[in-house]
Amino acid sequence: MSGGDQAQLDVLYAEAYGDLRRLASARLHRGGRHTVLDTTALVHESYLRLARCSGITFEDRLRFMVYASRVMRSVIVDLVRRRLADRRGGDLIHVTLTTHFDDDLPADAAGAQILRVHEALEELAALDSRMAQVVQLRYFAGMTEPEIAQALGVTDRTVRRDWQQARLFLAHALR
């Protein structure tokens, strides 16, 4: 696809729809039972965001899938931020009530975890962008090491090494 042509995007999205649903399902499945979207909604919201972009070109299907995984990540993070802001009252004046009940819901914890992973990934990107791309493609897109290596133009061994280092960094950052 080149030149941001809407008809080409529609064809590419239709051809990749099954793979996009698989990526979305894998990503949402990792979120536990308190996911913020269903598979279809995530794929369709990703399409709407992609359709609004102009001038995007994709050399091949793999590059499209990489970009689509980034869009899916942004959809999830934006929705979690919106839900947490709404949960906290958004623009309303905050009043603290002291009770002995614990009002935290597991869904909030899942949303907070998604935001913590996103923020840790942003920190990692500032240190090493390729390592952050490996995490992005592995965690959010569900790609295999050979697919990641092909998408980034590096060897499988480099991907494995980056994945190991990134996992250590993220484990430390998420504590």
Side-chain angles (χ1 to χ4, degrees), residues 1 11 16 21-22 30 39 41 49 63 71 78 83 86 90 94 104-105 131 144-145 160 170:
M1 178 181 145
V11 169
R21 282 188 56 83
R22 180 184 55 80
R30 284 189 209 112
T39 301
R49 288 195 184 188
R63 300 282 190 268
V71 172
D78 290 348
R83 286 182 81 204
D86 290 345
H94 297 275
D104 291 335
L105 298 175
M131 238 190 279
T144 64
E145 290 173 356
R160 279 192 299 277
L170 292 174

Side-chain angles (χ1 to χ4, degrees), residues 9-131:
L9 177 63
D10 291 345
V11 169
L12 184 58
Y13 221 81
E15 289 176 1
Y17 190 77
D19 290 336
L20 292 168
R21 282 188 56 83
R22 180 184 55 80
L23 289 177
S25 178
R27 176 59 200 113
L28 293 174
H29 179 70
R30 284 189 209 112
R33 64 185 181 103
H34 299 291
T35 57
V36 294
L37 288 171
D38 67 5
T39 301
T40 302
L42 180 55
V43 172
H44 291 188
E45 181 63 29
S46 299
Y47 170 79
L48 292 174
R49 288 195 184 188
L50 278 168
R52 281 184 252 153
C53 298
S54 61
I56 297 176
T57 61
F58 303 107
E59 297 172 20
D60 54 27
R61 182 182 175 98
L62 184 61
R63 300 282 190 268
F64 171 74
M65 295 301 286
V66 167
Y67 192 78
S69 74
R70 288 185 188 140
V71 172
M72 284 182 190
R73 173 182 168 204
S74 72
V75 168
I76 292 169
V77 168
D78 290 348
L79 183 62
V80 166
R81 283 181 177 154
R82 210 173 315 123
R83 286 182 81 204
L84 290 176
D86 290 345
R87 168 73 83 193
R88 294 184 185 113
D91 293 335
L92 299 177
I93 297 172
H94 297 275
V95 177
T96 303
L97 300 175
T98 55
T99 65
H100 63 280
F101 297 108
D102 186 9
D103 293 332
D104 291 335
L105 298 175
D108 284 348
Q113 179 68 17
I114 290 171
L115 287 180
R116 285 183 29 221
V117 169
H118 171 72
E119 290 164 357
L121 195 53
E122 293 293 319
E123 290 177 32
L124 180 61
L127 295 174
D128 189 324
S129 63
R130 189 183 67 216
M131 238 190 279

